[in-house]
Amino acid sequence: MAGTKKHGLGKGLDSLIPDKATPLQKAEREEKKDGVTIVKINKVEPNREQPRKVFNEDALQELSESIKQYGIIQPLLVQKKEDYYEIIAGERRWRAAKKAGLEEVPVIIRDLSEQEIVEISLIENIQREDLNPIEEALAYKRLLEEFDMKQDEVAEKVSKSRAAVTNSLRLLKLDDRVQQMLVDEMISPGHARALLSIEDPDKQYEFAQRIFDEKMSVRDVEKEVKKLQNGNRPEKKEEEPLSEELLTEYASIEESLKQKIGTKVRIQPKTSQSGKIEIDYYSAEEFEKIMNYFNS
């Protein structure tokens, strides 16, 4: 009697069930210790909108050698996309890990808004002093324009003074060629700020080249720019006396400002073309209210 052919179950039930795992799931090796997951490095990509664009190759090589010896100590912060992980923080570590020949990297996966991603990327780079002055200024500009933030809000987010954020943004008014010299460290941010008062782009660039060639100090630049401006300043015309009509108009504006701001305001004209405005405040709350009014 011929024996009945038996079908073994050696392959198990898995052989009868199609593998429906996504590419990302296949790329993950779950190690949920402290929320860290190990993923294939080729499934991780940088965020194209991250503030930092320039990476020092010598510093990357040093980090790569360290990673070869000790591994990646701090996991990358990423978010899931359709078929890859996008880096929120840690692109420098990712680049060094690729140089070191790693096939997997430790990551922490988060689901964040676009604004949160920009903020985290900016804060990480600023804390590590990894951004050049123009990258930093562009990141501030993006927070202001894309996410409708005010300068004092940006300053609070990145733990900087409002003046520091303002001075950073002013660098974007420089001629593009001068901005590139700043990126290339041919001039310093102090040199660059001193050049802002030169309005002609070509003259600004020529002066920047002179700073580099002559190794000028910031103080020297400030003196030279002041001389240049005084030399181009037209002779002062005799100022007309303040008319009664103009004084009445200033008084009306003064009263209007008092009503809107809620504190004492004084307009003190020196001539028909110049003068000063004084605003009093008597508490931190009043000062904040005044700043909010002018920033709105």
Side-chain angles (χ1 to χ4, degrees):
M1 182 176 171
T4 306
K5 190 175 181 179
K6 295 183 180 179
H7 296 280
L9 296 175
K11 291 184 180 179
L13 292 174
D14 287 347
S15 63
L16 304 177
I17 303 172
D19 186 358
K20 293 185 178 179
T22 67
L24 281 186
Q25 288 170 332
K26 289 178 181 178
E28 291 180 9
R29 177 161 59 85
E30 296 292 335
E31 277 192 12
K32 290 298 184 182
K33 184 178 179 182
D34 296 326
V36 176
T37 303
I38 305 299
V39 303
K40 298 289 185 185
I41 198 168
N42 60 8
K43 287 292 179 182
V44 180
E45 294 184 15
N47 176 2
R48 293 172 189 168
E49 299 298 327
Q50 93 117 323
R52 191 178 183 191
K53 306 297 180 187
V54 180
F55 294 84
N56 182 288
E57 285 300 319
D58 291 337
L60 269 182
Q61 188 59 45
E62 287 179 14
L63 181 57
S64 175
E65 294 300 324
S66 173
I67 286 174
K68 282 180 185 177
Q69 188 171 357
Y70 301 108
I72 297 180
I73 296 170
Q74 183 180 356
L76 284 62
L77 186 63
V78 302
Q79 67 169 347
K80 276 188 178 182
K81 292 293 186 177
E82 190 172 335
D83 57 355
Y84 68 96
Y85 296 95
E86 183 178 70
I87 299 171
I88 297 170
E91 182 176 343
R92 184 168 169 267
R93 277 163 277 155
W94 173 78
R95 286 175 180 267
K98 291 190 82 172
K99 271 183 174 287
L102 267 62
E103 294 185 358
E104 297 177 324
V105 287
V107 302
I108 296 173
I109 302 167
R110 292 283 183 268
D111 182 19
L112 300 172
S113 69
E114 193 66 28
Q115 180 174 332
E116 288 171 327
I117 291 169
V118 176
E119 289 174 5
I120 290 171
S121 298
L122 178 57
I123 290 164
E124 185 202 37
N125 283 307
I126 286 175
Q127 286 176 344
R128 294 174 182 272
E129 298 183 347
D130 282 341
L131 295 177
N132 65 55
I134 297 302
E135 287 174 334
E136 185 174 342
L138 287 170
Y140 293 149
K141 184 182 178 184
R142 187 176 176 208
L143 287 172
L144 290 168
E145 293 183 353
E146 287 190 31
F147 305 109
D148 199 28
M149 295 176 71
K150 292 185 173 67
Q151 284 192 23
D152 49 355
E153 291 177 303
V154 172
E156 186 178 353
K157 290 283 185 184
V158 298
S159 300
K160 295 253 186 179
S161 69
R162 189 177 185 278
V165 173
T166 300
N167 281 331
S168 177
L169 287 163
R170 289 176 67 222
L171 297 175
L172 298 178
K173 296 178 181 178
L174 290 165
D175 179 76
D176 289 345
R177 295 166 294 179
V178 179
Q179 290 187 32
Q180 189 58 51
M181 290 180 72
L182 184 54
V183 170
D184 294 337
E185 299 182 349
M186 295 172 70
I187 60 174
S188 73
H191 289 129
R193 282 191 289 272
L195 291 172
L196 281 164
S197 54
I198 301 176
E199 295 181 3
D200 185 288
D202 291 329
K203 288 182 180 178
Q204 197 181 83
Y205 178 53
E206 286 169 12
F207 208 122
Q209 288 180 309
R210 185 182 159 200
I211 291 169
F212 178 71
D213 292 338
E214 299 179 17
K215 303 293 183 286
M216 296 173 72
S217 70
V218 174
R219 184 65 180 152
D220 288 339
V221 175
E222 289 172 343
K223 286 180 180 178
E224 288 292 315
V225 169
K226 193 170 183 180
K227 283 182 188 176
L228 184 67
Q229 289 177 318
N230 287 339
N232 293 335
R233 189 173 293 165
E235 289 185 20
K236 285 187 177 180
K237 294 180 180 178
E238 191 175 336
E239 293 286 350
E240 295 179 9
L242 292 167
S243 67
E244 198 64 36
E245 184 180 349
L246 193 57
L247 289 172
T248 302
E249 184 180 347
Y250 283 153
S252 175
I253 295 170
E254 188 178 87
E255 187 60 35
S256 177
L257 283 172
K258 285 180 183 179
Q259 296 296 324
K260 289 177 180 177
I261 298 174
T263 188
K264 188 181 289 184
V265 179
R266 288 179 297 278
I267 299 176
Q268 299 179 344
K270 293 179 181 177
T271 68
S272 61
Q273 301 294 321
S274 65
K276 64 180 179 179
I277 299 174
E278 291 184 354
I279 301 173
D280 293 346
Y281 66 92
Y282 303 95
S283 67
E285 290 76 14
E286 265 196 340
F287 178 79
E288 186 174 354
K289 181 181 175 184
I290 293 166
M291 294 308 298
N292 286 338
Y293 172 79
F294 284 110
N295 286 328
S296 61

